Amino acid sequence: MLVFWKEKLVILSVPKTGTTAIESALAPHADMVISNPPQLKHAPVYRYNRFFRPMFEKACGEENMQTVAVIREPISWLGSWYRYRQRDAMKGHPNATHDKTFDEFVDAYCKGDRPAFANVGSQAKFIEPRPNGTKVDFLFRYEDQDKLLGFLEERLSRKITLGRENVSPSMELTLSKKVEDKLRRKCAEEFDLYAGIS
């Protein structure tokens, strides 16, 4: 999470959406950089609302902070998680996907009680608005980097060049129609969220 006080902007860090590269590029210019622990770096809207928003309002008298987040196409997002958990450092870990196919990973993700290797959260849940009105003000698609960077450059008044950070191992992934249909049915909110970003 990055906080830009003068610009009244908070960049929320949805996992596996390129936020590590954004953090690397912009951290030197941010007023607050929350990079650890992961539960705070990747604070979803409900955690931002509970901890950070009250701090900005009560301790600093600031009620006008706006939030921005990036959302990735759901199958691509799951593919990134699958590949990330295939890296060598994950061997022997219960979250590793070395002995799973992509179909098996996504099928497990569709379960109500997900096994550890497929328990990667939800983009829709991450940005779910709170009853008090706290929500993400600006949503961008991961696949539309030009639009995201254009917004950030204008808002932060600086040129931004992103490197490649925290990259998952490269591999070709395809889902069977049966598993993709199941994912679209069981996790429709993820696809609706992505489709609704203009």
Side-chain angles (χ1 to χ4, degrees):
M1 180 190 300
L2 299 175
V3 179
F4 298 87
W5 192 252
K6 185 181 75 173
E7 295 84 358
K8 305 294 181 245
L9 191 69
V10 178
I11 301 176
L12 299 177
S13 183
V14 181
K16 309 311 294 169
T17 62
T19 50
T20 302
I22 291 172
E23 181 182 308
S24 292
L26 293 177
H29 313 290
D31 296 297
M32 290 177 68
V33 178
I34 317 297
S35 56
N36 268 305
Q39 294 88 340
L40 293 183
K41 173 183 178 176
H42 297 296
V45 169
Y46 76 84
R47 196 168 286 141
Y48 169 80
N49 180 58
R50 184 173 178 191
F51 298 109
F52 294 97
R53 183 196 54 75
M55 176 180 65
F56 296 148
E57 290 184 8
K58 293 176 185 169
C60 309
E62 181 51 65
E63 299 181 14
N64 298 316
M65 299 299 281
Q66 292 184 307
T67 53
V68 60
V70 178
I71 298 298
R72 192 167 182 164
E73 190 282 324
I75 296 172
S76 173
W77 184 72
L78 287 171
S80 184
W81 270 114
Y82 173 80
R83 291 183 288 112
Y84 184 70
R85 291 183 167 190
Q86 289 257 326
R87 66 196 196 284
D88 289 341
M90 292 294 292
K91 284 185 178 166
H93 194 281
N95 290 351
T97 56
H98 294 97
D99 61 343
K100 309 292 180 198
T101 66
F102 188 43
D103 261 11
E104 289 171 330
F105 174 77
V106 174
D107 188 60
Y109 181 79
C110 291
K111 294 181 177 175
D113 186 18
R114 295 172 182 151
F117 71 88
N119 192 10
V120 297
S122 156
Q123 293 183 103
K125 198 74 178 162
F126 188 102
I127 65 136
E128 186 176 52
R130 308 313 301 152
N132 67 355
T134 301
K135 62 180 177 41
V136 175
D137 297 291
F138 303 100
L139 270 179
F140 293 92
R141 290 180 173 183
Y142 169 84
E143 291 77 8
D144 193 353
Q145 292 287 310
D146 289 345
K147 192 169 186 179
L148 168 66
L149 291 178
F151 170 83
L152 291 174
E153 287 179 348
E154 182 177 340
R155 187 71 180 257
L156 302 176
S157 302
R158 65 178 61 253
K159 181 74 177 156
I160 301 170
T161 303
L162 297 182
R164 288 180 52 83
E165 307 265 345
N166 204 22
V167 179
S168 301
S170 180
M171 63 183 71
E172 191 67 37
L173 296 177
T174 54
L175 268 185
S176 67
K177 184 178 185 317
K178 178 182 176 184
V179 174
E180 180 175 343
D181 288 348
K182 182 177 183 179
L183 175 66
R184 289 181 180 277
R185 187 177 70 255
K186 295 265 193 177
C187 302
E189 69 281 0
E190 305 294 333
F191 292 92
D192 292 344
L193 167 65
Y194 185 78
I197 301 172
S198 55

